[in-house]
Every structure is written in C-alpha cells, then in structure tokens.
Amino acid sequence: MYQAKAYSVASAASPFTSATIQRREATERDVQIEILFCGVCHSDLHTARDEWSSVMPTTYPCVPGHEIVGRVTRVGASVTKFKKDDLVGVGCMVDSDHTCPNCHDGFEQFCPGSTFTYNSPDKHLGGVTYGGYSESIVVDERFVLSVPVNLNLAGVAPLLCAGITTYSPIRRWGDLTGKKVGIVGLGGLGHMGVKFARAFGAHVVVFTTSPNKKEDAIRLGAHEVIISTNAEEMRAHAGTFNFILDTIAADHDINSYINMLGRDGNITLVGAPETPLQVSAFALLFGRKSLSGSLIGGIAETQEMLDFCAEHSITSDVEVIPIQKINEAYDRLLKSDVKYRFSIDMASLKAE
Ligand code: NAP
Ligand code: ZN
C-alpha cells in the first residue's frame, strides 16, 4: 500500500477538504496511473451529498471522480495492453466479475459484481473504492482505456462518463440520419449528446431552461433550440421528435417531453434525479411511445467512443479548475452554471 493525496467529503453536508488515502501497490494485472485531469460529473455531487441514499447510499469519507485521464507510471508483470508513460483513461468502473452474461456480452456496467470507481466495495483493501479527485489510482488493465494522443486531455477526461453515457444510447437508437433528435438539458452530458447526435447526422434540437445557452447550443452543433419554459415554443414542436435524450439532474415534468415525440418515438433517460418521476400512461399510449433508461456503456464501447472522438476531433468543452475550487464548482453545477464541464487539473493537488 502507498499513500496518495486526494480531496474527500466526510459527510453529506461537509465541504471537500484535502485528505490522504491508501492505494494498493500494482498487482500482476494492474496499471498504476498518475491522474492528470478529472472531470466533475453531476453524479459526483449526487453521491457526495448522499442524494441517491435509497438506491446507492454513500459511505464516508467519499472521494468522487470517474472521468479520469492520466499517465501510466507502473504496470504489473502480466499487463500486456499498457506500458509506462502511456496516456490512459478510467471511467465509472474499475472491475466486474468477468464471468456473467453481461460481462460476456460487453455490458460490464450491468454486471451484478461490478466495482464502480468510487463508493463501491473495494475487493483489495476493504472499505470502499476512491475515485479520481486524487493524484493516482491503480486499476485492473481490463478497465483501463487507451486515450488518443491527438486530443486535448482536459477535454478528454469528461468523455469517460459524459461521453460514453450519451454516445451509447444515441448509437443504440440506430441510423439517425435526418431524424429529429432532442437533447434535454445543456450541461455536461447534454453538450456531449449534441456533439454526438450531430456527428451521426441527426437534426438536433436542444431543450434548455437557460436562454443564455442558446448561442452555445448552436455553436456546439444544434440546429434549433427550444426554451422549455416557453409553452408556445414547446407546443410548436409537439409530436415531431423521433428520439429524445433526457439528461436533467433534477425533478421535472417528463410528460411534457414525451408529448414532443411522434409515433413510435422513444425518450431515453440518462439523468438520474433523486426523486421518482411521474409518468402519464396516456402520454405513452397515444402514439405507442416508449420510455427507456441507459447507464454509461461497456468497456469495449467506451474505447470505440474514444476512437470515434479521435477520428472526429470531438472533446468536451471544459472549464479547467484547480482542485481547491471544487466546492465552488459544485455550487455552480447546482445552478446549471457550467460551460459545459469542469475538468480538474490535478497538478494543483501537488501544491497541497
Ligand atoms: P449537469 O452538468 O448539471 O447538467 C444537467 C442539466 O440539466 C443542466 O445544465 C440544466 O440544463 C438541466 N437542468 C438542471 N436542473 C433542471 C431542472 N430543475 N429542470 C430542468 N432542467 C434542469 O449534469 P450532468 O453531469 O450532465 O448529469 C446529468 C444527470 O445525468 C445527473 O443526474 C447525473 O447523475 C446523471 N448521469 C447519469 C449517467 C448514466 O449512466 N445514466 C451518467 C452520468 C451522469 P439547462 O440549463 O440547459 O436547462
Ligand atoms: Zn458521471
């Protein structure tokens, strides 16, 4: 074991403070990574503040962070995929049981034995896993991704969660060429959804509660923007969408978005509000519409997404912050005031 600098919260109501955590020494299959950048996902906030207590209660102290980009500092004797100094990424998972049908099919995110990057039982050290708000991490090579060298690293970090979470359902929907696709919420996930839907040939429409994001939405790739609080604008588009991706992090009226779908349209939830949403049966019945969910993506699909981003020069639009600004960043995340992802420069941790 060795000690690593990190930022943690001690309870749901505590701010982040500097901390020291234990990391395991790299075993045979492990890759030890010096973390260069870590994105700030709204799931980090939900977890740090125990907002998902009914489904996934938080164990404290908690070190979030699952949008990790770094450089390999050491590899175990049996590691074949990576070598010292390689640029790598780690997303929301660090292990799984490797034997179940989900793992077999490349859906490690649905493995009953999957280990999430933070707040999951730690098979090696006991306690829970600690995430990327730290200077280093040790991960089984099967959960380490190759990071394209041609992209801006601060902007690559958010691809490891916001990227794959939007890429996966958009790909799953099939050929989007000429289809009308809605992205609800222009935050970390939403702005990546816009980029991917556009790259796959859709007619992209952003639903936002923030009129000041209109110009950015167009710059990011949207063809149209709807201010969702404007009933007239909403009415004008009712019944016209093929597919909608809902990324809202808070309670909201899902029926107003189901009403935007045309016949056989689908709305997929990736946002994970802490309270259950009220769904009107009639909103779904008329038009044979469907409501689905989607959770990140498997490891092979995550690599596919990173390679797609390298080919199409896609990264997240980031505001780079030092770790010392993390409490302020959470306050701004709650006010939908981030353009469009905070990415922590982990060099700032060295000064602690
Ligand atoms: P984020 O950056 O905070 O973006 C969420 C956006 O939703 C905001 O920017 C805002 O966009 C909109 N919004 C916020 N509150 C709203 C409200 N009360 N009513 C209507 N719109 C509202 O968050 P994120 O990191 O993208 O994450 C979004 C959600 O996805 C979170 O719940 C997160 O936990 C979840 N998530 C799920 C997965 C998965 O695998 N399914 C993976 C990662 C994250 P506008 O200003 O444009 O309205
Ligand atoms: Zn996330």
Side-chain angles (χ1 to χ4, degrees), residues 42-43 46 186 188-189 208-210 213 247 270-272 294 296 341:
H42 209 113
S43 303
H46 289 305
L186 198 65
L189 265 56
T208 179
T209 58
S210 308
K213 293 182 183 172
T247 78
V270 285
S294 191
I296 46 175
R341 196 57 139 188

Side-chain angles (χ1 to χ4, degrees), residues 5-9 15-21 323-324 327 349 352:
K5 291 180 185 174
Y7 258 58
S8 72
V9 282
F16 279 93
T17 52
S18 173
T20 302
I21 56 170
I323 187 79
Q324 293 80 5
N327 292 308
L349 198 50
E352 291 280 325

Side-chain angles (χ1 to χ4, degrees), residues 315-329:
T315 52
S316 170
D317 284 35
V318 290
E319 184 174 334
V320 178
I321 56 164
I323 187 79
Q324 293 80 5
K325 289 254 163 106
I326 190 67
N327 292 308
E328 207 178 291

Side-chain angles (χ1 to χ4, degrees), residues 41 43 66 161:
C41 179
S43 303
H66 57 205
C161 175

Side-chain angles (χ1 to χ4, degrees), residues 72-99:
V72 175
T73 46
R74 240 188 105 186
V75 294
S78 316
V79 169
T80 54
K81 276 169 66 190
F82 303 100
K83 58 182 191 318
K84 191 170 176 301
D85 294 331
D86 282 352
L87 282 175
V88 292
V90 177
C92 300
M93 298 175 284
V94 289
D95 208 352
S96 68
D97 69 13
H98 306 284
T99 55

